[in-house]
Amino acid sequence: MTENTSRVAIVTGGSRGIGRETAARLGKDHFDVVVVYGGGRAEAEEAVREVELAGGRAIAVQADVSDEQSVSALFDAAEKEFGGIDVVVHAAGIMKLSPLADLDLAVLDEHLKVNVRGTFVVDQQAARRLRNGGAIINFSSSLTLLARPGYSAYAATKGAVNAISLILARELRGRDITVNAVAPGPTATSLFLDGKPQELIDRIAAEPPLERLGQPEDLAELVAFLAGPGRWINGQTIYANGGSAA
């Protein structure tokens, strides 16, 4: 175990997109970061280097967020390397699109396993192991309000994330641990961009008053606030979408 006085964060989905940008942003605040990845070891190692360049220390750990033994081992690795855990950012998730009437129910089951069960599993370990004064930050989606056709499975799972986050915040009374959900709007990551024609991307980007897509750093700044000075924000779903209307 490393002697450590820094705060320690676990970031699931930390090898790509918003999770990766968040890991680097926490590094800038001198967090020690556990970059959690599903399959892309090379990307995770790149994310580790970005955290280190920003000013923090980091390791990469592979885990299946829907598997309780895998997640328990992840938390063990974080505690062994850095001595404890203060912040958990749960950014891992999947999104596959289909009209509800045409949705393969196996795809629905996959969404429920990764996005809902994964949140339960990660939050369960976080609730058991976070040091007092910590923060749990789950990722929801503005699609719970924007209600775009084709997103029923994904949006349904993110509605569950909102409920989990609020209830867990109340269950942790007396621990000085905040629990919030961040609900991004359309953000320029591969999760959003892949498979969409440019015309559709341009149309969605023009919708908010700021007339652009969100960038991963927009969300990373919000997470850093919730992980640090934003101690009076608790049990909330924060819609970070540039003003897109429901």
Side-chain angles (χ1 to χ4, degrees):
M1 182 180 75
T2 303
E3 272 308 311
N4 185 31
T5 57
S6 300
R7 299 186 78 209
V8 179
I10 290 174
V11 182
T12 73
S15 64
R16 304 180 69 190
I18 295 170
R20 180 166 171 168
E21 189 70 32
T22 295
R25 178 62 183 81
L26 293 175
K28 184 178 177 181
D29 286 345
H30 304 291
F31 272 80
D32 296 330
V33 181
V34 180
V35 174
V36 185
Y37 68 99
R41 177 75 188 186
E43 288 181 313
E45 292 294 351
E46 291 172 3
V48 165
R49 286 191 289 273
E50 289 176 4
V51 173
E52 293 171 343
L53 286 170
R57 296 183 298 175
I59 59 171
V61 177
Q62 185 175 28
D64 175 354
V65 296
S66 68
D67 181 84
E68 60 270 34
Q69 292 182 338
S70 181
V71 172
S72 179
L74 157 67
F75 277 71
D76 289 343
E79 290 173 340
K80 180 179 180 181
E81 182 69 21
F82 294 127
I85 306 159
D86 301 287
V87 172
V88 171
V89 180
H90 181 45
I94 63 168
M95 179 175 69
K96 298 181 181 180
L97 308 184
S98 170
L100 186 148
D102 302 325
L103 181 68
D104 184 336
L105 293 182
V107 174
L108 173 63
D109 290 343
E110 187 179 3
H111 278 80
L112 293 170
K113 179 181 179 183
V114 176
N115 295 357
V116 180
R117 181 184 170 89
T119 301
F120 263 101
V121 171
V122 171
D123 282 10
Q124 188 173 67
Q125 288 296 320
R128 292 171 178 172
R129 303 217 205 179
L130 253 63
R131 294 184 284 214
N132 288 0
I136 300 170
I137 302 156
N138 294 318
F139 266 79
S140 178
S141 172
S142 287
L143 286 160
T144 57
L145 296 181
L146 299 176
R148 295 188 190 279
Y151 288 88
S152 58
Y154 179 74
T157 63
K158 294 305 185 177
V161 170
N162 294 349
I164 292 166
S165 303
L166 172 58
I167 292 169
L168 181 57
R170 293 178 175 178
E171 290 177 347
L172 293 179
R173 175 181 293 274
R175 293 274 304 279
D176 190 26
I177 293 172
T178 61
V179 188
N180 293 288
V182 172
T187 305
T189 66
S190 59
L191 185 70
F192 171 76
L193 297 171
D194 288 355
K196 291 185 175 69
Q198 189 61 46
E199 182 276 332
L200 176 60
I201 293 170
D202 292 343
R203 188 168 74 244
I204 292 173
E207 289 177 352
L210 298 179
E211 295 186 329
R212 65 173 177 87
L213 294 176
Q215 297 297 316
E217 53 265 34
D218 294 323
L219 284 307
E221 287 293 340
L222 175 56
V223 173
F225 179 72
L226 294 172
R231 300 301 303 166
W232 197 234
I233 300 173
N234 191 27
Q236 304 299 312
T237 298
I238 302 172
Y239 292 90
N241 57 33
S244 297

